[in-house]
Amino acid sequence: MNRIAACFERLKEQGRQALIPYITAGDPAPGATVPTMHAMVEAGADIIELGIPFSDPMADGPTIQLACERSLKHGTRLLDVLDMVKTFREKDQETPVVLMGYLNPVEVLGYGAFAEQAAAAGVDGALIVDLPPEEAEGEFDQAMKANGLDIIYLLAPTTEESRIEQVCKAGSGYLYYVSVKGVTGSASLDVQAVADKLDVVRKYTNLPVGVGFGIKDAESAKAVSEVAEGVIVGSVLVNKIASLVQQQDEIPAQVSAIVAELRTAMDA
Amino acid sequence: MPIKTDLSTIAQMPDERGHFGPYGGRFVSETLMAALKQLEETYERLWRDPDFQAEFDRDLAHYVGRPSPLYHAVHLTELCGGAQIYLKREDLNHTGAHKVNNTIGQALLAKYTGKPRVIAETGAGQHGVASATVAARLGLECQVYMGAEDVQRQALNVYRMKLLGAEVISVESGTRTLKDAMNEAMRDWVTNVDDTFYIIGTAAGPHPYPKLVRDFQSVIGREARAQCLEQAGRLPDALVACVGGGSNAIGLFHPFIEDGDVRMVGVEAGGYGVESGQHAAPLTAGRPGVLHGNRTYLMEDDAGQILGTHSVSAGLDYPGVGPEHSYLKDTGRAEYVAINDDEAMDAFRTLTRVEGIMPAIESSHAVAHAMKMAKEMDKDQIIVVNLSGRGDKDIHTVAQLDGIQV
Ligand SMILES: Cc1ncc(COP(=O)(O)O)c(C=O)c1O
C-alpha cells in the first residue's frame, strides 16, 4: 500500500480526517520549505501539498500568485522542488507528499522523467491543475502509474454528474473537491452545498475526498471535516508566510501554529 | 518536428477534442470544463444554424461594413519594384481592426446563451474596444482586463472603452501585459462562470476558442480569395499577416489551406531582434509548451516558466500563439518569420507616405515583411497583406518615438 492509501486507512481507523496543508515550494526562499514541512507534520498535518511555482498560475488568486513570484525570484525549478522532497524524506518516510502545480514545468522536464524523478525523490502523487483527465490520458497517466504515483484530480461545483463519474474513474489517491467557483483564496464556502455535491461523488467512488478553497479558520475546517475525509488549507498559510518575509526563521513555528489550531478544531 | 499530412487533413483540423495534431486541447482547471463543453455545443449548433448565420452575415455587412476592400497598393508596389502588393483593408472595419469580426460572433453566442455579462482581455485595446462596442449594442455588462503597461501605451483605446460603457481593469500582476490580462480574465471567468461569457480576442485559449475565433475571422480569407480572383483573375502567390495570438492571420490563411501553391507567411514581433531575447516570436524562437488552456509554441525558459516579451506593438506582445499556427508551422504549410520594432516602424511610415494609409503598428510588421518579399519576387506575382488594423490608436507611440508630445 502506498503512503497516501495507508494514511487514509489509518485515519479511518482512528475516526479522524486528513488535514492537508499547502505551501508553495521555495516561498519565500528555498531554505524555508523543508523545515516548514516538518513543523506542519509535527503540528498535525497528515499529507503535504507542495506547490510547484509557476509564472502564470491562472487558477490561483493573488496570494498564491505572489508566493510563486517570491519563489521564482530565487530561481526555484521543478528539480529543486524534487530535491526539497528528497531532503524532507531523510527525516520523514511516512507523511505523503503531493506536488501541486501547472503543467508547463512538468512538460518541459518530460512526463516520463518527471514521474521517475518524483518517485525517486519520495513524492506520492501529483495534482496538475490545468491537466484534466482528458488531456492526461495516455502518456502522463502511464508515466505516473508506471512509477506508482497517484494522480489527484479536481472536482468542482460545476462538474456535472456524468463527468464526476469519469473523473472518479481516472483519479487515484484522493479527489480534490474545489468548494467554490473561483480561484484559491476567494470567497468562503457553503458547507451544505459541499455536502450535497459529495453525496453525488460518493455514488461513483470509494476514494477519499479532500475539500479545498475557502477554508480560512478553525471553524470552517471543523465544518468541512464533518462532511469530507480531508481538509485542504492553502491561502491562510501562504498569507502567514508572506507576512514573515522579513523574519524567515519564524515561518515554521508560526505556520505550524495555524496547522495545530486547525488540527485541534478538527479533532474536537 | 515536421508532421506529414495532406492539405485536406490540415484544413479539417481540429479534431473533436480540439487538437491540431499535438497542439491545442483543453488544458484548464476543472471549474471551467463544463462551461467550455457548453460553449462548444452551443457553437457547433449555432454555426450550422441558418438563422444564426444570417444574423452574423447581416451584422458583418451593415454594422462592420463588410466586405472590406482588397486594395491594389500600386505605389507601394512600385517602390518595392517586385510583386504586386494588395492590402486586405481590415483597418476600414468599424472600430478599426479585424477584431470586431470575432466579437460580433462571440457576442451573438453570448446573446443566444443568455449571459448578461461579458469579459475580455486586451493588449492593444482593439479587442477591448470591439468587445465594448458589441456589448454596448447588445446591452451587456462589459469588463475588460488590460495589462497596466498597455493601459499606459494605449491610453486612447482605454478612454474609448470607457466611453462605450465598459470598465477597464488594469492588471498589475506578472509582466503587466497581455498574458497577465488573460490570466486575470480566466480568474474572473472561473469565479463568475454562471452569468459571464468570456470573449477571447484571438485564436488561442482552450478548445473551442481557437476554432470558433478562426471560423468567425475566416470571412477575411474568403473575401480576399474571391476578390483576388475577381481583380487579378487568379489566386495570390503569397499571403502575409502579422501574428500576435494569430487571429487575423488564421482568418486570412484558413480559406487558402487547400490552395497548395499559395504561400502563407506569418510575421511575429521581433522586438529588439530575435537574437536579443527581447521579442515576442514564439514560433520563430520558442518551443512547444502549455499555457492559457492550449498546447502551442511558447516563449519559456528551460524550466518551463513563461518569459516576458517585448514588442513596440502591444497587440503582438504575447508569449504564446494560437495552436493552429503551431500545427501549420510543423506541417510546413505556413512559414513564420520575425520583423523587428524598427523595421515595423519604417513600414508604418512608408505606407503612410506612399499610400496615405496609416496602419496599426501590429499590421506594420506584416507590411514590412511583404515589402522584403516583394523585392525578391517577379512583377507578375501577387502578395496579399492583411492590413489588420488602422494606426490611429498608435499615434502616441509613434509621436513618442519621434520625441513629440501630442
Ligand atoms: C490591429 C491588430 N492587428 C493584429 C493584432 C494581433 O492579434 P492577432 O494575432 O490575434 O490577429 C492586434 C491585437 O490587438 C491588433 O489590434
Side-chain angles (χ1 to χ4, degrees):
Chain A
M1 195 186 304
N2 72 19
R3 276 187 284 255
I4 294 176
C7 172
F8 278 106
E9 186 99 333
R10 177 172 49 79
L11 287 165
K12 193 172 171 186
E13 280 164 14
Q14 299 169 347
R16 296 161 78 229
Q17 287 73 40
L19 175 55
I20 310 175
Y22 165 96
I23 57 172
T24 303
D27 171 31
T33 302
V34 175
T36 306
M37 291 168 75
H38 287 306
M40 293 194 299
V41 172
E42 244 167 74
D46 299 296
I47 297 173
I48 289 177
E49 284 187 356
L50 191 59
I52 306 165
F54 183 50
S55 53
D56 293 80
M58 284 182 320
D60 286 294
T63 296
I64 289 174
Q65 179 174 4
L66 290 170
C68 288
E69 286 177 16
R70 286 190 296 271
S71 174
L72 290 173
K73 215 176 290 161
H74 295 278
T76 310
R77 305 163 64 97
L78 175 50
L79 292 177
D80 300 323
V81 179
L82 297 182
D83 276 342
M84 291 175 198
V85 178
K86 203 183 280 173
T87 308
F88 174 77
R89 282 278 170 254
E90 287 169 7
K91 284 200 213 151
D92 187 330
Q93 288 89 46
E94 201 178 320
T95 309
V97 175
V98 170
L99 298 181
M100 183 167 183
Y102 293 80
L103 185 58
N104 203 49
V106 175
E107 176 124 340
V108 164
L109 195 56
Y111 298 161
F114 166 72
E116 259 169 52
Q117 294 180 44
V123 169
D124 301 285
L127 193 176
I128 307 297
V129 179
D130 55 352
L131 186 67
E134 289 87 338
E135 300 289 357
E137 204 180 273
E139 210 190 320
F140 183 80
D141 200 44
Q142 282 158 16
M144 294 291 281
K145 283 198 179 117
N147 287 280
L149 296 174
D150 284 323
I151 309 185
I152 287 86
Y153 283 115
L154 299 171
L155 290 167
T158 51
T159 311
E160 297 142 353
E161 188 158 348
S162 58
R163 195 176 152 74
I164 289 177
E165 183 174 10
Q166 183 193 346
V167 176
C168 286
K169 264 196 204 130
S172 59
Y174 60 98
L175 292 156
Y176 185 134
Y177 182 67
V178 175
S179 65
V180 291
K181 289 174 204 151
V183 292
T184 50
S186 54
S188 34
L189 79 180
D190 172 350
V191 178
Q192 189 53 51
V194 171
D196 292 346
K197 194 77 172 190
L198 294 193
D199 285 343
V200 181
V201 174
R202 295 225 163 76
K203 287 204 269 177
Y204 300 103
T205 186
N206 295 318
L207 284 176
V209 182
V211 173
F213 285 41
I215 295 165
K216 292 187 156 65
D217 48 23
E219 197 187 335
S220 48
K222 170 76 181 157
V224 167
S225 73
E226 280 163 6
V227 301
E229 287 83 8
V231 175
I232 304 164
V233 279
S235 292
V236 265
L237 306 178
V238 175
N239 276 328
K240 177 56 77 181
I241 292 174
S243 74
L244 295 170
V245 170
Q246 303 305 329
Q247 305 139 262
Q248 291 186 20
D249 292 349
E250 291 287 312
I251 288 172
Q254 294 208 25
V255 169
S256 60
I258 300 174
V259 172
E261 193 188 323
L262 302 178
R263 178 85 264 170
T264 306
M266 285 167 59
D267 290 350
Chain B
M1 59 181 116
I3 304 171
K4 284 263 179 299
T5 188
D6 59 279
L7 296 180
S8 73
T9 309
I10 295 176
Q12 294 307 315
M13 291 286 170
D15 66 19
E16 69 285 352
R17 286 171 56 201
H19 291 185
F20 300 85
Y23 302 107
R26 193 175 273 163
F27 295 87
V28 296
S29 88
E30 180 60 30
T31 310
L32 292 178
M33 290 300 282
L36 289 167
K37 210 160 271 178
Q38 191 203 359
L39 175 61
E40 180 187 354
E41 282 160 17
T42 307
Y43 170 70
E44 292 297 344
R45 178 168 48 80
L46 290 174
W47 189 239
R48 289 183 182 83
D49 175 351
D51 292 340
F52 180 88
Q53 278 292 345
E55 189 169 355
F56 182 54
D57 290 346
R58 203 160 52 235
D59 281 353
L60 289 183
H62 302 295
Y63 190 71
V64 176
R66 304 204 70 91
S68 68
L70 182 71
Y71 168 69
H72 186 186
V74 285
H75 308 287
L76 188 67
T77 299
E78 207 169 293
L79 184 77
C80 297
Q84 304 302 309
I85 300 174
Y86 285 74
L87 304 175
K88 180 61 176 161
R89 300 290 309 274
E90 294 299 302
D91 60 314
L92 294 177
N93 292 342
H94 180 43
T95 71
H98 70 291
K99 296 284 179 186
V100 73
N101 303 325
N102 168 46
T103 56
I104 292 273
Q106 290 197 48
L108 282 179
L109 293 177
K111 187 177 105 171
Y112 276 70
T113 47
K115 307 259 167 154
R117 174 174 182 264
V118 296
I119 55 171
E121 86 294 338
T122 197
Q126 286 305 112
H127 174 61
V129 167
S131 298
T133 298
V134 294
R137 176 166 172 255
L138 296 177
L140 305 170
E141 185 191 335
C142 179
Q143 279 170 326
V144 180
Y145 290 91
M146 190 167 185
E149 186 179 325
D150 296 335
V151 167
Q152 296 260 308
R153 57 181 166 173
Q154 301 288 340
L156 193 65
N157 271 343
V158 172
Y159 190 56
R160 284 169 83 194
M161 288 184 263
K162 286 181 183 161
L163 288 174
L164 288 159
E167 187 191 346
V168 178
I169 301 168
S170 176
V171 176
E172 297 286 350
S173 58
T175 58
R176 305 161 87 231
T177 58
L178 183 53
K179 91 172 163 71
D180 310 287
M182 195 145 181
N183 289 337
E184 219 51 59
M186 291 267 187
R187 290 176 181 131
D188 180 314
W189 199 32
V190 169
T191 309
N192 302 296
V193 63
D194 290 334
D195 72 345
T196 298
F197 190 101
Y198 179 16
I199 304 184
I200 293 187
T202 191
H207 180 61
Y209 281 103
K211 177 172 192 242
L212 68 86
V213 173
R214 174 198 75 196
D215 290 348
F216 290 142
Q217 290 291 4
S218 288
V219 65
I220 301 172
R222 281 196 305 275
E223 285 177 8
R225 196 173 183 283
Q227 288 165 323
C228 192
L229 285 171
E230 189 189 305
Q231 291 179 33
R234 63 183 195 85
L235 290 177
D237 298 279
L239 308 172
V240 181
C242 68
V243 178
S247 68
N248 87 86
I250 204 69
L252 177 65
F253 293 175
H254 198 260
F256 289 90
I257 282 180
E258 294 189 67
D259 300 313
D261 293 336
V262 180
R263 270 177 78 189
M264 306 185 189
V265 185
V267 185
E268 298 190 298
Y272 298 132
V274 166
E275 61 296 335
S276 73
Q278 303 280 304
H279 59 85
L283 290 164
T284 309
R287 56 179 181 169
V290 173
L291 179 69
H292 292 152
N294 64 108
R295 181 179 285 116
T296 192
Y297 278 82
L298 295 177
M299 289 180 53
E300 58 180 358
D301 67 16
D302 62 1
Q305 306 298 339
I306 308 306
L307 290 171
T309 51
H310 164 79
S311 169
V312 65
S313 114
L316 303 183
D317 210 349
Y318 179 66
V321 63
E324 191 159 9
H325 288 293
S326 296
Y327 180 68
L328 292 177
K329 173 187 161 77
D330 283 7
T331 55
R333 180 62 191 93
E335 27 187 320
Y336 297 88
V337 298
I339 282 288
N340 300 348
D341 286 354
D342 51 0
E343 296 174 300
M345 295 316 300
D346 284 349
F348 172 94
R349 289 170 208 280
T350 303
L351 189 67
T352 301
R353 293 299 287 271
V354 304
E355 294 287 357
I357 296 172
M358 206 176 283
I361 299 178
E362 289 79 12
S363 323
S364 302
H365 287 71
V367 174
H369 189 67
M371 289 171 65
K372 281 191 193 173
M373 280 173 69
K375 288 173 188 156
E376 307 288 312
M377 290 165 68
D378 292 337
K379 286 198 161 95
D380 60 0
Q381 291 189 295
I382 296 173
I383 301 177
V384 170
V385 183
N386 202 2
L387 207 70
S388 57
R390 68 176 89 120
D392 307 33
K393 68 181 176 62
D394 296 314
I395 298 304
H396 283 273
T397 305
V398 179
Q400 211 167 29
L401 291 171
D402 284 345
I404 294 167
Q405 193 69 36
V406 286

